Amino acid sequence: MTDPTRPVSSDPTLDHTGIGMTEGEKRALEMVEAAETGGRKLFGWQKTLVTVIAIAWCLFQMYAAQVGTIDTLLLRATHLAFAFALAYLVFPFRKMPGQAQAGVPWYDWILGTAAVGTAVYLITQYPTIANVQGGVLNSTDVWVGSAMAILLLLAAWRTIGIAMPIVALVFMLYALTGPRGLIRGDLGPQLQLHAGQTWPQVVGQLFANTEGIFGTAIGVSAQIVFLFVLFGSVFDKLGAGEWFMNVAQGLLGGFRGGPAKASVLSSALNGIISGSAVSNVVTGGNITIGTMKRVGYTAEKAGAIEVASSSNGQLMPPVMGAAAFIMAQNLNIEYRTLILAAAIPAFLCYSALLVVTHIEALKLGLRGLPRSELPSVRRTLASGWYYLIPLGYLIGTLTINPEATPERIALYTIYLMIAMMFVQEAWRARRDGRTIGRGLLDGGRMLVEAFEAGARSMIGIAIATAAAGIIVGIVTITGLGFGLADIVQLVSEGFRSFLAGVAGLIPGVNATAVATFGAMLIVLLMAQLIALILGMGLPTTANYILMSALIVPIVAKIAGLDTTNPAQMLPVHMFVFYFGIMADSTPPVALAAFAAAAISGGNPVATGVQAFQYELRTALLAYMMFFNPSLLLIANGRLGGVPWTEAVPMVLFAFIGLVAFSAATLRFLHRRTNFLQTLLLLVASFILIIPTHVLWNLAALGLIAVVYFWQKAESRKGPPAVPAAA
């Protein structure tokens, strides 16, 4: 176990030598670099150039937040220009962990320079386009805009995979169909759901306004997300990530299956500052996976627990990944309102995962680590208590100061941590017999590494939000969302009619209510499947942007929701957000599972399947939030309207429902459940999804009690159905 008095950076993005790492840990680190921060190996002046660009990007974003007066399109275009430069420098066209291309090839210099040039062109020419040309593009503008779109899709291919570029190209082709489009008639009238657009019209929509590439998504990335990602990077480099890990190990490592519980707690704490599932797997898993295997978890189960806990880090306020900031913008609510609403579901999600790890420990007959091998909680807390100062300032100011903007709060927290970094290193230098000047130099080196790590972590987010803007812009210009809504509504109405007919044959059943609920459930199942499928090839942020543009309006229309009321729309947005997060652990892609398997030595697909089973409780929680908005503190049609006297029993019933569901899906409560016991647990959990009369909740509790005491009675008759060695 690492010395809690000494900071050990858990940041996987910079200058790792691999000393002391296992081959699996090295492979996992390479996966993170290839997927999230660029796997190209650079040396000499090229590496220095990347560092300089990364630092310049950080300083620009901090300056923009400080002054707060930079023109909207100028800020977004400059943000994209920096992302273009780094994307073509550090992301090779082919991601091959362990075989990353060294140096930047000549064609990437050309492509990167051209991509940055298109952004610079827009920055310099936009006043002319807007004020002199009246927003109408000339031929040069069209050529430059076309080049930007192509180079953006190529950058997206490198940074986030092929799925987003393919979807964007399909949408662009769709925009060109129709009577007035570039593609006319040949595809048949059934595909001509709109009038059609010419190529200059498409480029104008995507390039020269704030409804396409430079839309809301990249605006949030440039204005808010960058600073929170930088906050997480500086906080981790300060030593907080390792400190959180030691605190979790010290608190929970000695309990039954303790290393798994410590993994869940440390991931929850790290989730407060980080929104990356894959990097969380590597930074935490290189400790927790090994200790989980040591106490008896299989390689696949150990990896799956780390995947589930790391993926759910994106649910933890206040950062919640980049998608949460975009969600607040889409709903037109303050970010502090959103993070308060998301707090209870996040608590329930991690509490249920702790139960999952306990059930697995019971199934396997596991114990915890010896207390002598765990870090001292008292010494660990004493050595790093000051890490709570910036975190407390950030959370406290976000929640209680209505005057401060999220980006300004994040900026001031970064200033605070920079000062702490230099003070910390100067004090450590003096303690270790070195000069204070040497400590200040160490602080400067750590700050440079933190800035570079933060900027490199933002490349994929900036490119993804810009590329998603292509799809959102096409949806806007073609009205595609209305056509999709009509198709889904046709399917749901057919199912509604079928259910109404069947329910009408049963005496005493409200056929209308059954049909309405069933039709809504079908729509949600369709939304769930789309989110999971898209999420296999997209990061959570891009997945949420697409789902919010395509699926959320459909669900809202069919459910009859008021799209201008954030209290009605928040449950729908959270629904698709949760399933987008689940996609991180959904095979066959599941990069987080592959990273965990590289560390554990287990089978990647089996690890992903096991993680998906653990994540089923997240799916149930998504349905709970939709059918019971009070979990999001929504009552009487407004946000924050649930008194604590109602919130406490509501949270308790929801937690019990998640426990029952987890026990059912794992087929174990006090011992292995038979078919009838599993069915009773499932019925109880489904009853607790929807808020009903208290008698129904008590009936659900009764079913759970029946199963528990039934199993206790069976235990007295003989040994558990699953032996300890299983």
Side-chain angles (χ1 to χ4, degrees):
M1 185 60 60
T2 56
D3 180 1
T5 65
R6 203 59 199 154
V8 181
S9 173
S10 58
D11 178 62
T13 60
L14 296 169
D15 297 334
H16 276 275
T17 63
I19 297 175
M21 298 175 66
T22 67
E23 287 301 317
E25 290 169 354
K26 291 178 183 178
R27 288 196 302 271
L29 177 60
E30 290 166 353
M31 287 182 187
V32 175
E33 292 176 338
E36 297 195 350
T37 60
R40 179 171 283 154
K41 306 302 179 184
L42 300 178
F43 305 94
W45 68 271
Q46 291 186 355
K47 186 178 186 304
T48 301
L49 177 63
V50 168
T51 301
V52 169
I53 294 174
I55 294 174
W57 193 7
C58 294
L59 295 176
F60 168 76
Q61 297 290 164
M62 294 170 69
Y63 169 77
Q66 184 68 57
V67 299
T69 57
I70 297 180
D71 177 78
T72 298
L73 193 131
L74 172 62
L75 174 63
R76 297 175 184 183
T78 307
H79 184 73
L80 182 59
F82 276 112
F84 270 150
L86 291 176
Y88 282 100
L89 286 174
V90 303
F91 281 90
F93 187 71
R94 297 182 63 190
K95 299 176 184 177
M96 298 179 293
Q99 305 174 23
Q101 185 183 51
V104 182
W106 63 268
Y107 53 82
D108 276 351
W109 287 111
I110 295 174
L111 292 174
T113 302
V116 173
T118 61
V120 173
Y121 177 90
L122 181 62
I123 293 169
T124 57
Q125 296 301 311
Y126 183 73
T128 301
I129 296 173
N131 301 324
V132 179
Q133 300 171 201
V136 179
L137 305 187
N138 60 35
S139 58
T140 303
D141 301 332
V142 172
W143 277 104
V144 175
S146 302
M148 174 179 281
I150 294 170
L151 291 166
L152 174 58
L153 294 180
L154 287 175
W157 189 346
R158 293 162 178 263
T159 56
I160 60 175
I162 190 61
M164 175 70 84
I166 290 177
V167 173
L169 285 172
V170 170
F171 273 71
M172 292 168 73
L173 289 174
Y174 173 78
L176 298 174
T177 62
R180 295 199 306 269
L182 185 65
I183 305 172
R184 300 179 179 87
D186 298 335
L187 299 180
Q190 67 273 16
L191 293 181
Q192 296 176 2
L193 301 178
H194 62 104
Q197 309 293 325
T198 64
W199 181 246
Q201 288 175 320
V202 171
V203 174
Q205 172 74 3
L206 301 181
F207 175 66
N209 60 45
T210 55
E211 294 183 354
I213 292 172
F214 300 104
T216 299
I218 195 173
V220 175
S221 175
Q223 184 177 354
I224 303 176
V225 175
F226 189 101
L227 291 168
F228 276 86
V229 170
L230 183 59
F231 155 76
S233 177
V234 176
F235 196 46
D236 181 70
K237 187 61 65 175
L238 189 64
E242 186 74 11
W243 183 73
F244 282 153
M245 176 69 67
N246 285 331
V247 169
Q249 289 278 12
L251 286 173
L252 299 178
F255 290 94
R256 182 188 293 272
K261 294 181 172 69
S263 171
V264 173
L265 178 59
S266 63
S267 292
L269 293 173
N270 278 316
I272 295 175
I273 60 174
S274 172
S276 170
V278 181
S279 63
N280 284 351
V281 165
V282 175
T283 55
N286 58 15
I287 296 176
T288 60
I289 290 176
T291 53
M292 278 189 272
K293 289 176 62 180
R294 183 181 163 198
V295 297
Y297 287 98
T298 66
E300 287 74 20
K301 288 182 184 294
I305 289 171
E306 182 61 44
V307 170
S309 57
S310 295
S311 298
N312 289 161
Q314 298 170 95
L315 307 176
M316 286 295 294
V319 177
M320 295 178 64
F325 298 97
I326 299 172
M327 187 187 304
Q329 193 80 13
N330 288 341
L331 291 167
N332 195 26
I333 61 176
E334 291 185 344
Y335 186 65
R336 59 178 53 85
T337 303
L338 177 62
I339 62 176
L340 288 173
I344 289 177
F347 168 78
L348 287 171
C349 193
Y350 270 104
S351 299
L353 186 55
L354 281 173
V355 172
V356 166
T357 63
H358 187 71
I359 290 174
E360 286 288 17
L362 288 173
K363 288 173 65 175
L364 299 171
L366 307 183
R367 294 290 183 265
L369 290 171
R371 176 56 60 182
S372 60
E373 298 183 12
L374 297 172
S376 166
V377 175
R378 183 181 59 82
R379 288 204 307 268
T380 301
L381 290 173
S383 68
W385 61 268
Y386 55 88
Y387 293 136
L388 299 176
I389 295 175
L391 190 60
Y393 171 79
L394 178 76
I395 297 175
T397 312
L398 272 175
T399 53
I400 66 176
N401 187 354
E403 303 298 326
T405 60
E407 62 270 22
R408 190 64 63 86
I409 296 170
L411 178 65
Y412 291 160
T413 309
I414 291 170
Y415 288 156
L416 173 61
M417 290 189 299
I418 291 174
M420 290 175 59
M421 185 175 289
F422 283 103
V423 172
Q424 172 183 271
E425 294 309 302
W427 179 83
R428 284 176 174 160
R430 184 176 180 181
R431 182 197 63 186
D432 297 340
R434 296 176 294 140
T435 65
I436 293 178
R438 178 58 187 229
L440 294 176
L441 287 175
D442 288 343
R445 174 186 54 79
M446 291 170 60
L447 182 59
V448 168
E449 292 178 355
F451 274 19
E452 183 173 351
R456 289 173 69 131
S457 297
M458 272 301 302
I459 300 170
I461 296 174
I463 296 295
T465 52
I470 294 177
I471 299 168
V472 175
I474 297 299
V475 170
T476 302
I477 199 174
T478 62
L480 176 62
F482 297 105
L484 290 176
D486 291 339
I487 295 173
V488 175
Q489 188 166 17
L490 183 64
V491 174
S492 67
E493 287 298 331
F495 193 73
R496 184 196 303 268
S497 299
F498 169 75
L499 284 179
V502 173
L505 300 176
I506 305 174
V509 173
N510 188 331
T512 302
V514 171
T516 301
F517 176 78
M520 191 69 254
L521 195 59
I522 285 295
V523 173
L524 292 177
L525 287 171
M526 293 172 65
Q528 166 189 335
L529 290 174
I530 294 172
L532 289 175
I533 292 171
L534 284 177
M536 291 181 190
L538 295 176
T540 304
T541 303
N543 188 349
Y544 167 71
I545 294 171
L546 294 191
M547 295 296 292
S548 64
L550 295 175
I551 305 302
V552 167
I554 296 174
V555 176
K557 179 180 179 181
I558 294 174
L561 304 178
D562 179 3
T563 56
T564 64
N565 185 346
Q568 293 188 27
M569 295 301 297
L570 178 58
V572 189
H573 282 267
M574 290 294 286
F575 182 88
V576 299
F577 178 51
Y578 266 50
F579 276 105
I581 289 172
M582 275 192 68
D584 281 340
S585 55
T586 303
V589 181
L591 186 59
F594 277 81
I599 297 173
S600 70
N603 181 285
V605 175
T607 300
V609 171
Q610 184 68 70
F612 183 79
Q613 183 182 16
Y614 294 154
E615 285 285 67
L616 287 175
R617 81 203 188 286
T618 306
L620 183 71
L621 186 55
Y623 281 94
M624 280 183 169
M625 287 186 293
F626 184 86
F627 289 110
N628 184 11
S630 56
L631 285 173
L632 296 167
L633 301 179
I634 298 172
N636 302 318
R638 64 186 182 89
L639 295 168
V642 180
W644 71 270
T645 53
E646 297 179 14
V648 171
M650 170 194 68
V651 172
L652 181 60
F653 281 124
F655 174 71
I656 294 172
L658 289 170
V659 170
F661 183 76
S662 299
T665 54
L666 294 174
R667 299 291 303 276
F668 196 96
L669 185 59
H670 182 69
R671 56 190 284 145
R672 186 171 180 83
T673 58
N674 58 35
F675 174 78
L676 182 56
Q677 291 168 347
T678 302
L679 182 62
L680 291 176
L681 290 172
L682 285 175
V683 170
S685 63
F686 292 151
I687 290 174
L688 294 171
I689 289 179
I690 306 173
T692 54
H693 193 276
V694 66
L695 292 179
W696 279 102
N697 290 337
L698 293 176
L701 296 182
L703 292 177
I704 298 171
V706 166
V707 175
Y708 178 77
F709 288 110
W710 182 355
Q711 291 207 323
K712 289 286 285 185
E714 288 179 334
S715 297
R716 286 193 290 268
K717 297 177 181 178
V722 178

